[in-house]
Amino acid sequence: MKTSTPASLLAAITMAPRDPILGITEAYNRSTHPAKINLGVGVYYDDQGKVPLLQCVRQAEADLLQHPKPHTYLPIEGLAAYNNAVRRQLFDGTRAFDEQRVITLQTAGGTGALKVGADFLQRFFPDAQVWISDPSWENHAALFEAAGFTVNAYPYYDAARNDLNFPAMLATLEQIPAGDIVLLHACCHNPTGLDLDDSQWQQVLEIITRRRLIPFLDMAYQGFGGSLAEDGKVVQRFADSGLTVFVSSTFSKSFSLYSERIGALSVVSASPDEAARLLSQLKRTIRTNYSSPPGHGAAIVAAVLGSDQLRALWEQELAQMRERITGMRQQLRARLQQHLPARDFSFLTRQAGLFSYTGLQPEQVTRLREEFEIHTLGTGRICVAAVNSGNLDTIATALARVM
Ligand SMILES: Cc1ncc(COP(=O)(O)O)c(C=O)c1O
């Protein structure tokens, strides 16, 4: 007797859309061209085109190996020494810090911080909606939607001028209903590289306060735009505004610890008592997601931030990464200016952090890939940290040709 295989219960499931950024890397990996270049990444590369292993990390790891410890569970909120070091790093000097109103929990990278924050907010503010910049890091909308929120965009970028559209941003913020959540990039905006200046931040803070919105600051690139203190100013300003503030932060980039998934969620609250209640609820969110975080990345960062010598070394290495990017911005601008003297490339040095929005159109991005083996995002975002002294001329010539 013929038996037929029963139809799979999962037969109706279709393929998920490809991640746009990882898709670029896949296409790049498939290419066999010896001179291929990937500008689509979100990672810092050194001048040899390698992801660095920082000396401070190497030293901290050597020390950890010399003093091995059992791999028992960390507390739900993570390693205390790590959380204290991150809290100090972000909030030292604020009233909120002195008054012990800030809680910090270790998370699986910045993504984990956003997800824990989003799940927590959805539990207590299910009717709130979320507002992110247009454009923003691709995962922002997906993460908050996955947590159950409706996600809207506020204007941020003016493509015609390759600059901020601040008046439109303010006009939209003025319309957002009280209690909604506004996601802001604390520095080095991804993908545009364009940040607000001091007075613009002041205006945004004033509207958020007046309209009783919930700010969620995402800081994935502290130290890549300016010094740690300069890039950290926005978080400090919001912390001392009297508002409840959510902050996601990560050491993926600044410690070059991508695979260790080491980030943090901090919340500035109204009182130590409120902070304790928030902490207990956030721990429940973590417990039902992944129970407790992994240990190695936290041990490294805690060791570096807890040692005067290693911390100084880290700051020095971070400054070298920042200065290399700034140098590449200047040189790319100068090269492009030589190729196309009538065009304005000042945006390259006005923008900060790993990324530049170049204004390239999708068909120009396709030409870059097909004619020059230079892979980047269809939006025209390039990772300036993937430019180095070996590929600078090739990239400048190709960009000028397609422009
Ligand atoms: C703006 C922004 N937020 C958060 C993240 C997530 O960082 P992590 O890799 O630590 O999860 C990134 C990573 O690219 C980012 O660009």
Side-chain angles (χ1 to χ4, degrees):
M1 206 173 72
K2 207 169 142 213
T3 56
S4 59
T5 321
S8 163
L9 288 175
L10 311 180
I13 296 177
T14 57
M15 286 295 278
R18 276 153 61 97
D19 182 291
I21 298 183
L22 300 183
I24 302 291
T25 301
E26 282 163 20
Y28 169 81
N29 288 340
R30 269 198 312 274
S31 162
T32 51
H33 199 283
K36 62 183 181 177
I37 296 171
N38 189 359
L39 298 181
V41 290
V43 171
Y44 174 87
Y45 290 102
D46 64 18
D47 204 47
Q48 279 70 51
K50 298 258 180 333
V51 177
L53 172 57
L54 299 190
Q55 282 298 333
C56 62
V57 169
R58 209 183 278 246
Q59 288 187 26
E61 282 188 312
D63 194 52
L64 289 171
L65 266 183
Q66 288 218 320
H67 304 94
K69 288 203 181 121
H71 296 263
T72 185
Y73 288 123
L74 289 186
I76 296 172
E77 71 276 25
L79 189 70
Y82 169 83
N83 288 335
N84 289 335
V86 175
R87 186 170 34 237
R88 184 170 288 284
Q89 151 98 5
L90 297 181
F91 299 99
D92 195 10
T94 64
R95 257 186 311 117
F97 179 80
D98 292 343
E99 293 168 8
Q100 304 189 348
R101 292 188 278 114
V102 188
I103 50 169
T104 298
L105 302 96
Q106 180 189 336
T107 56
T111 308
L114 288 159
K115 174 68 171 140
V116 170
D119 282 351
F120 169 86
L121 285 163
Q122 173 62 212
R123 206 146 55 89
F124 291 98
F125 304 97
D127 297 328
Q129 296 199 1
V130 174
W131 296 77
I132 64 174
S133 61
D134 177 20
S136 198
W137 180 49
E138 280 78 4
N139 218 6
H140 278 151
L143 266 162
F144 280 93
E145 279 167 5
F149 285 107
T150 298
V151 177
N152 312 280
Y154 56 83
Y156 191 77
Y157 176 68
D158 179 353
R161 290 171 33 255
N162 196 356
D163 210 340
L164 283 176
N165 191 351
F166 189 62
M169 175 180 177
L170 282 193
T172 300
L173 293 183
E174 285 284 7
Q175 306 295 322
I176 298 180
D180 274 9
I181 299 151
V182 182
L183 190 96
L184 298 151
H185 299 231
C187 65
C188 306
H189 184 270
N190 177 7
T192 65
L194 294 164
D195 290 327
L196 306 186
D197 66 23
D198 268 2
S199 92
Q200 289 169 327
W201 274 118
Q202 196 50 43
Q203 292 174 68
V204 166
L205 183 54
E206 190 272 317
I207 295 177
I208 286 180
T209 309
R210 176 160 44 76
R211 298 198 59 78
R212 302 182 65 78
L213 307 175
I214 303 175
F216 199 136
L217 299 174
D218 185 18
M219 184 154 67
Y221 302 94
Q222 187 180 15
F224 282 96
S227 66
L228 286 167
E230 281 161 353
D231 281 354
K233 260 195 324 212
V234 172
V235 166
Q236 297 232 330
R237 177 184 285 192
F238 272 73
D240 267 346
S241 66
L243 295 171
T244 300
V245 187
F246 287 73
V247 181
S248 53
S249 58
T250 171
F251 294 107
S252 294
K253 326 274 167 167
S254 58
F255 266 75
S256 196
L257 277 177
Y258 305 90
S259 64
E260 293 301 338
R261 313 307 301 133
I262 183 66
L265 174 68
S266 302
V267 188
V268 180
S269 59
S271 66
D273 173 63
E274 184 179 284
R277 283 179 278 125
L278 288 180
L279 179 64
S280 72
Q281 293 291 353
L282 281 159
K283 282 165 67 173
R284 277 192 65 78
T285 305
I286 291 175
R287 180 74 174 145
T288 52
N289 263 307
Y290 52 86
S291 194
S292 65
H296 189 61
I300 295 171
V301 174
V304 172
L305 296 184
S307 144
D308 288 346
Q309 181 254 324
L310 291 182
R311 193 195 158 88
L313 181 56
W314 173 53
E315 291 197 19
Q316 200 184 321
E317 294 187 277
L318 183 56
Q320 280 164 5
M321 294 197 275
R322 172 173 69 246
E323 283 157 16
R324 198 188 81 71
I325 298 176
T326 311
M328 284 300 130
R329 287 186 177 280
Q330 286 160 352
Q331 292 189 47
L332 191 55
R333 177 182 171 182
R335 297 283 199 290
L336 286 168
Q337 210 70 72
Q338 277 167 5
H339 283 290
L340 302 171
R343 273 181 80 137
D344 177 14
F345 292 102
S346 59
F347 65 85
L348 271 165
T349 47
R350 232 183 9 254
Q351 298 161 342
L354 255 59
F355 305 112
S356 170
Y357 241 34
T358 55
L360 284 174
Q361 299 303 306
E363 56 281 6
Q364 295 172 312
V365 171
T366 305
R367 275 192 65 197
L368 272 183
R369 184 177 65 248
E370 289 177 353
E371 293 175 33
F372 301 95
E373 278 292 335
I374 296 177
H375 300 247
T376 198
L377 306 190
T379 55
R381 185 193 87 168
I382 64 167
C383 177
V384 184
V387 183
N388 58 53
S389 41
N391 64 20
L392 172 68
D393 283 323
T394 312
I395 292 168
T397 307
L399 283 174
R401 289 278 289 280
V402 303
M403 281 172 170

